[in-house]
Amino acid sequence: MRQSGLSLAARALVAGVLMGALFRTAGGTLDARELWARWRFFPGSRRLGRLALVAAAAVAVGIVLAALDARHEASPTLYVLLLEPNYWLRLKGLWLDRATPAALGAVAALLALLWLRALLLIAPLLPIAMALRGSWAQLTVVFTVLLFVLGEFAPLMVDQPYPSLRWLLLRTALGLGRSVALGALTAALFGVIRREPGPLPGG
């Protein structure tokens, strides 16, 4: 039986809460007070500005990939779009159908909604970014996995059946590429980077 995305998200939330309550590390916990202290270490406006930047980058990457995907929309081979809904086609339709101030407002509203959705997806990574310390590559892997599982893999598992195995592989590769790009940017802007030690003098 096909399950709704809301049901799966609720189950994942309950599982996460139970795991956090049952599995505690010997070194203590990172509670809300500790996270708030780390948040205040740097100006909050700087983090919020960077968060807005990452969300805008997510929208831009999504639209570019949608535009590349839509190039085959009218293909005689009945090409199945990898991204559905395809927001590039929606933005294009809103503007081309009625090139009026009202259409411009509709385009701006859709972009704002996409930005807000990206913001809600990336914002939960901030506590993780404040708790982790590692090299840029290590943090990129962590954020990529989280973004891919939450933003790409979980919704894809709900959207079954798939047109073909080739479509599924291409869609997974596209989602992974998008997650890598945003994961790398998130690690660079929010991660606590641990510089790798250089060679010892005379070594």
Side-chain angles (χ1 to χ4, degrees):
M1 183 179 69
R2 181 170 177 173
Q3 301 180 9
S4 67
L6 182 60
S7 173
L8 293 175
R11 294 183 184 186
L13 178 61
V14 172
V17 171
L18 289 176
M19 290 178 64
L22 297 176
F23 298 95
R24 297 178 180 271
T25 61
T29 59
L30 189 62
D31 56 12
R33 179 181 300 179
E34 179 66 20
L35 285 175
W36 176 244
R38 296 190 181 196
W39 173 270
R40 296 180 60 187
F41 186 76
F42 290 109
S45 58
R46 190 171 85 175
R47 282 200 176 94
L48 293 177
R50 292 183 176 185
L51 178 61
L53 176 62
V54 176
V59 175
V61 170
I63 291 176
V64 169
L65 292 177
L68 293 175
D69 187 31
R71 292 189 308 170
H72 305 285
E73 180 200 15
S75 172
T77 58
L78 300 178
Y79 177 80
V80 179
L81 292 174
L82 298 175
L83 298 175
E84 182 60 37
N86 188 296
Y87 289 106
W88 166 255
L89 292 177
R90 292 197 175 186
L91 290 169
K92 186 177 177 182
L94 285 173
W95 179 247
L96 291 183
D97 290 345
R98 299 170 301 163
T100 62
L104 181 60
V107 168
L110 179 55
L111 290 175
L113 289 175
L114 293 177
W115 178 83
L116 181 60
R117 188 179 69 171
L119 197 67
L120 294 176
L121 175 65
I122 297 169
L125 299 181
L126 292 187
I128 300 173
M130 290 186 288
L132 292 181
R133 182 184 299 272
S135 67
W136 174 79
Q138 291 171 331
L139 296 176
T140 296
V141 170
V142 171
F143 294 141
T144 295
V145 170
L146 291 173
L147 288 169
F148 178 71
V149 171
L150 297 177
E152 304 289 346
F153 185 76
L156 191 59
M157 290 300 98
V158 177
D159 191 22
Q160 297 187 44
Y162 309 118
S164 65
L165 177 60
R166 180 175 179 270
W167 183 94
L168 177 60
L169 294 176
L170 289 175
R171 177 65 181 82
T172 302
L174 183 148
L176 182 59
R178 179 163 52 185
S179 299
V180 169
L182 296 179
L185 181 60
T186 304
L189 294 181
F190 293 106
V192 181
I193 306 298
R194 185 191 67 237
R195 302 299 180 186
E196 297 296 337
L200 295 176

